[in-house]
Amino acid sequence: MPPPRLTPLVTRLDRTLLSVPIVRRLIRPWLTHACRMPVERVDSVVLMLSELFTNAVEHGAHKSVLFRAESPGNGWVRVDVDNSTASPIPAPALAPAGSVRGRGLWIVEKCVAELGGKWGHSADGSVAWCEVPIHQLPQPKERP
């Protein structure tokens, strides 16, 4: 039997860095209790969401940011962060040594790869998204 389709978690928050911990507090129990995602995977998704939401706040031009998390019943979770601001699609990069900023998308890329998911941006750059399996995917067996 396929996993059930869950009620999405959708909210619009002020475009301020003070909203980042709020979105973390919203997503953690939803992932843990509604999705039954293992806690070590929850931690990685919360980190990815923090980075994507921070970018939306810092690079958006509108007063708010829309956040949506859903599990469509296929064993995966999708998170969208929409700042309603068209922009060039950014690429992950490592910041210079000593810099305290500039590693967010690199962190997202590494977490998504570790969880076996995928991520990207809408064609106009206004929405960042990631999709990850709720549970670890089985590893293919090696042939002798």
Side-chain angles (χ1 to χ4, degrees), residues 2-8 30 34 68 70-74:
R5 181 177 182 92
L6 300 173
T7 302
W30 185 82
R68 178 181 179 90
E70 64 182 332
S71 182
N74 62 358

Side-chain angles (χ1 to χ4, degrees), residues 71-136:
S71 182
N74 62 358
W76 286 65
V77 167
R78 179 181 172 103
V79 175
D80 293 321
V81 178
D82 182 353
N83 68 5
S84 302
T85 305
S87 63
I89 296 175
L94 279 175
S99 175
V100 295
R101 302 172 49 85
R103 294 173 183 83
L105 294 181
W106 182 83
I107 291 169
V108 170
E109 184 171 80
K110 297 304 175 193
C111 287
V112 168
E114 181 179 292
L115 294 175
K118 51 193 170 190
W119 75 286
H121 291 84
S122 62
D124 70 353
S126 65
V127 179
W129 58 270
C130 65
E131 294 180 354
V132 296
I134 293 171
H135 299 281
Q136 186 172 356

Side-chain angles (χ1 to χ4, degrees), residues 15 52-62 83 85-87 90 101 125:
R15 191 179 61 83
L52 295 176
F53 199 89
T54 299
N55 280 357
V57 166
E58 291 182 344
H59 301 290
H62 294 274
N83 68 5
T85 305
S87 63
R101 302 172 49 85

